[in-house]
Amino acid sequence: MSRIWKKALIVMMGALLVFSLAACGNSGNSGNKAANEASGSSVYKAGTYTSVAKGNNGDVTVEVVFDANAIVSVTVKDHKETQGISDPAIEKIPQGIVTGQTLAVDVISGATNTSNAILTAVEDCVKQAGGDIDTLKVAAAVKEGDKTDSEMSTDVVIIGAGGTGLAAAGSAFEQGAKVVVLEKQGNVGGSTALSGGGIAATGTRFQEEIGVKDTPEDWMKLWKERQSTSNPDSQYPDYDRVTKFMDDAVDTTHWLVDYMNHKYARVEGYGLDPVARLHFPEKGGAELISNLEKTVREKGIDILLETKATELLTDEQGAVVGVKAENAEGTLTVHAKKVIIAAGGFAKNEEMMQRFLPQFVEDIDISAAAAGSTGDGILMAEKIGAALYEDPWVIGLGMGSRIQELGGLSWDTTKILVNEKGNRFFNENSHYAIVTNQVVNHEQVWMVIDSNEANTKTIESIQGLLPNDEIATGGTVQELADAMAVPADALGATIDTFNSGVASGKDAFNKEKETLIAINKGPYYAFKFYPKTMGTFGGVKVDEHYRVLKEDGTVIPNLYAGGEAANRSIYNQVYMSGSAVQYALTSGRLSGAHAANAMKEGQ
């Protein structure tokens, strides 16, 4: 049975169930339009109603139109959700509500917060219109017998439709392979869609066009400088791999424009990386993914959404021969000559974070990693004997607050941070990955501000939130310290020392003079901040062609991995601006091409 007919059947079953329940209950709130029209009763107070609910990035405003017996339309009128990520929810949730005349609509994987916001707002509108919420929340029964097992065959199957997976799909197709992409979420993009979309590369033709002279040697110098700030005992990065990556990155940067219909709006530096080596699209990672998805689909490549890969299939010799997956219709078996894992890292998997990076577990809720970053591909590969990289780490995104109104302060390097002892502990004007590495080493980190004019808007924004466990206030430094539960003498000495450095222009932690602003006007405020991640370094070990390796260093036949599923070798514990998305795209491009060519050569 086709997906379309099955969905139609489910809708009809839902309508019959709602009718039968309503007939046994309050007939004045019946969900069956025809029955109520015949009896002259009504379900709703006809009209247009509006409600607002909290989404992922802020308020979502929804408008619902009712006639006497039905929900006529649901429209998302305004929102601040992330383009690309939220689009399927904004399109499908309203459609499902109207088509099924029900609130029992499944949320869209990867856009859960947006989905729930729309459903919450519609529920409020139903209440305003006098509708029966309980009846509308009854879901249609789906029998297990309706699910089916299906099979398909292809040359290359790719697990994941983020930057790595889409690049791999385009590259494999370019080399003549038939390609299928499996994506467990309801939308493509992964962490790449959530990024700024900038990709770093040196010596590109786009740099040359604007007169920028940049070399791999310049980038390597910075790379080594940044990595030296972290774990001195790590065996990573492998600088041979870093060198190759830098060379390959140039080809990828050109390939995206020449073959994947991508465009760069500007080439510039970013933050503490002033060299113009980041190639940005106009609208960030969402635009990058949009361009890749459009190109991949135009080539006729199938992207199967809401289809979760669950198992790598192997033959008697241990070679990978396909993937088993699950979707709404049942179980799907994809027979393939090559498999590429492009399913991302594990920053959103609590069990894996507890296993590998327990110091970051408590702050998973503020991670900027994509919802699908649960390490599925890594675990599937480990199950068939893949070796995992030692010493995994996080891709640091600085720090974050649990107070939405304070989000902008995460990047304000003019502020100071103190720990649970009331002491500063580093130069706050550091690269954001270094900030993460510093913040995670302390039990509690606070940002301290005063009531000078520069902080007026921040202070006004949190007044309605007080009292709050995430915020401490005090008319004096002594009172602030008491509210923070830190030693008052230590906090007082910290602020005095900092202010002396502001006056002299020489900070105790060598903070740049232009970022030094005195803290001397009460009342004072302190906000809790936490280490924030946007992904992980780790995954399965791969060779220079991104073929997955066993513990003994031999290749698992037919299996590749890229992106966060296999990115440990080029870093110690510090992310380099523009490198994660570039690595995703480059590893995808090269693994896709190698897989397709190896297949042609019978390897």
Side-chain angles (χ1 to χ4, degrees):
M1 183 180 294
S2 73
R3 185 187 297 256
I4 293 175
W5 280 107
K6 293 190 76 172
K7 287 185 176 179
L9 178 59
I10 290 171
V11 168
M12 288 188 288
M13 291 172 64
L16 288 171
L17 181 59
V18 169
F19 174 70
S20 63
L21 288 169
C24 297
N26 185 348
S27 62
N29 281 330
S30 173
N32 186 285
K33 182 176 179 179
N36 282 282
E37 287 176 343
S39 65
S41 63
S42 62
V43 178
Y44 306 108
K45 292 181 289 186
T48 300
Y49 301 84
T50 301
S51 185
V52 178
K54 189 71 70 176
N56 193 63
N57 299 336
D59 289 342
V60 176
T61 302
V62 178
E63 178 185 276
V64 184
V65 178
F66 300 87
D67 64 19
N69 297 293
I71 302 172
V72 177
S73 68
V74 175
T75 307
V76 176
K77 302 295 289 186
D78 189 37
H79 68 90
K80 298 178 181 178
E81 306 298 81
T82 305
Q83 180 184 355
I85 300 297
S86 64
D87 291 350
I90 291 171
E91 176 187 353
K92 294 179 181 179
I93 298 296
Q95 287 177 357
I97 293 171
V98 174
T99 300
Q101 293 295 299
T102 179
L103 290 174
V105 177
D106 289 338
V107 300
I108 303 300
S109 298
T112 302
N113 292 339
T114 304
S115 300
N116 286 331
I118 297 170
L119 289 167
T120 299
V122 173
E123 180 176 331
D124 182 62
C125 289
V126 170
K127 290 178 181 178
Q128 294 178 52
D132 187 338
I133 296 297
D134 292 335
T135 298
L136 289 175
K137 284 188 172 181
V138 175
V142 179
K143 298 179 180 179
E144 284 299 316
D146 289 338
K147 293 190 174 183
T148 61
D149 293 336
S150 58
E151 299 185 28
M152 63 187 305
S153 296
T154 190
D155 294 331
V156 178
V157 61
I158 298 167
I159 303 173
T164 306
L166 294 177
S171 182
F173 182 88
E174 182 183 19
Q175 300 303 318
K178 181 181 178 183
V179 182
V180 171
V181 183
L182 309 179
E183 171 55 56
K184 70 177 180 180
Q185 304 293 76
N187 50 267
V188 304
S191 292
T192 300
L194 299 174
S195 74
I199 57 173
T202 62
T204 70
R205 70 176 191 248
F206 307 105
Q207 289 176 302
E208 293 173 1
E209 288 170 1
I210 60 174
V212 173
K213 294 183 179 180
D214 188 23
T215 67
E217 290 74 22
D218 293 333
W219 199 13
M220 182 65 80
K221 180 180 179 182
L222 180 63
W223 201 290
K224 290 183 176 180
E225 178 184 313
R226 292 269 168 81
Q227 302 311 314
S228 70
T229 67
S230 53
N231 185 5
D233 298 321
S234 177
Q235 61 183 291
Y236 303 108
D238 177 339
Y239 280 109
D240 289 337
R241 289 283 181 90
V242 178
T243 297
K244 184 177 186 305
F245 165 66
M246 289 182 176
D247 291 339
D248 292 335
V250 177
D251 294 335
T252 299
T253 305
H254 295 160
W255 175 80
L256 290 169
V257 173
D258 297 340
Y259 186 73
M260 296 297 287
N261 300 309
H262 188 44
K263 294 180 180 179
Y264 305 117
R266 60 195 187 279
V267 183
E268 60 187 25
Y270 181 77
L272 295 176
D273 297 312
V275 178
R277 64 170 62 105
L278 273 74
H279 300 64
F280 284 99
E282 183 66 36
K283 298 179 180 179
E287 181 182 342
L288 169 58
I289 288 297
S290 177
N291 290 340
L292 297 183
E293 179 188 11
K294 180 180 179 182
T295 301
V296 165
R297 290 191 184 278
E298 286 177 347
K299 296 179 186 301
I301 298 171
D302 288 330
I303 303 175
L304 306 183
L305 299 177
E306 297 185 275
T307 302
K308 181 181 179 180
T310 59
E311 182 182 353
L312 295 172
L313 304 177
T314 59
D315 62 17
E316 294 179 355
Q317 287 72 43
V320 174
V321 293
V323 176
K324 183 173 287 188
E326 295 177 353
N327 56 28
E329 295 180 351
T331 299
L332 171 66
T333 299
V334 183
H335 304 285
K337 298 171 184 175
K338 304 291 178 183
V339 176
I340 300 175
I341 297 173
F346 56 92
K348 289 288 190 176
N349 184 322
E350 187 171 347
E351 289 186 8
M352 290 186 73
M353 289 296 285
Q354 186 65 53
R355 174 183 171 188
F356 295 115
L357 296 163
Q359 61 269 58
F360 292 97
V361 169
E362 292 183 2
D363 304 310
I364 284 180
D365 61 308
I366 65 169
S367 175
S373 297
T374 53
D376 304 351
I378 298 169
L379 294 174
M380 282 185 281
E382 182 184 31
K383 191 172 181 179
I384 65 166
L388 302 191
Y389 278 114
E390 305 86 356
D391 186 28
W393 196 246
V394 299
I395 303 178
L397 191 62
M399 58 187 183
S401 168
R402 289 191 166 87
I403 303 295
Q404 187 174 11
E405 288 77 3
L406 301 178
L409 291 181
S410 300
W411 300 91
D412 189 341
T413 59
T414 67
K415 304 299 188 283
I416 69 165
L417 301 175
V418 302
N419 61 18
E420 68 281 354
K421 297 178 181 179
N423 299 322
R424 281 178 74 202
F425 47 91
F426 80 123
N427 179 345
E428 294 87 355
N429 190 29
S430 296
H431 186 270
Y432 45 92
I434 295 175
V435 171
T436 304
N437 295 346
Q438 287 285 342
V439 170
V440 77
N441 288 327
H442 299 271
E443 291 181 15
Q444 183 59 64
V445 171
W446 297 86
M447 177 181 288
V448 178
I449 70 170
D450 66 2
S451 291
N452 275 304
E453 185 177 355
N455 296 317
T456 299
K457 289 184 178 180
T458 297
I459 294 170
E460 289 176 349
S461 73
I462 53 95
Q463 290 305 309
L465 304 175
L466 299 175
N468 194 303
D469 290 342
E470 300 294 308
I471 302 172
T473 65
T476 66
V477 172
Q478 170 76 49
E479 292 175 354
L480 180 67
D482 291 343
M484 296 167 63
V486 304
D489 55 346
L491 182 63
T494 293
I495 292 177
D496 287 344
T497 299
F498 177 71
N499 286 339
S500 296
V502 175
S504 67
K506 295 182 180 179
D507 178 60
F509 288 92
N510 298 316
K511 195 171 182 177
E512 292 74 3
K513 185 175 182 180
E514 58 271 19
T515 66
L516 299 175
I517 300 176
I519 301 172
N520 53 21
K521 182 180 179 180
Y524 299 91
Y525 298 82
F527 310 122
K528 290 181 179 179
F529 275 85
Y530 307 90
K532 187 171 185 177
T533 69
M534 57 178 168
T536 49
F537 300 146
V540 296
K541 290 186 177 182
V542 293
D543 67 7
E544 69 275 15
H545 302 300
Y546 300 94
R547 296 180 295 184
V548 177
L549 303 175
K550 302 177 186 178
E551 288 288 355
D552 62 7
T554 61
V555 170
I556 295 179
N558 306 329
L559 184 62
Y560 297 75
E564 283 186 50
N567 64 347
R568 186 71 186 92
S569 64
I570 66 171
Y571 304 102
N572 185 349
Q573 293 180 345
V574 178
Y575 165 70
M576 301 296 291
S577 297
S579 66
V581 177
Q582 178 65 271
Y583 183 84
L585 300 170
T586 294
S587 59
R589 176 180 69 84
L590 293 175
S591 61
H594 193 277
N597 287 322
M599 179 198 69
K600 288 189 293 186
E601 295 169 5
Q603 299 178 3

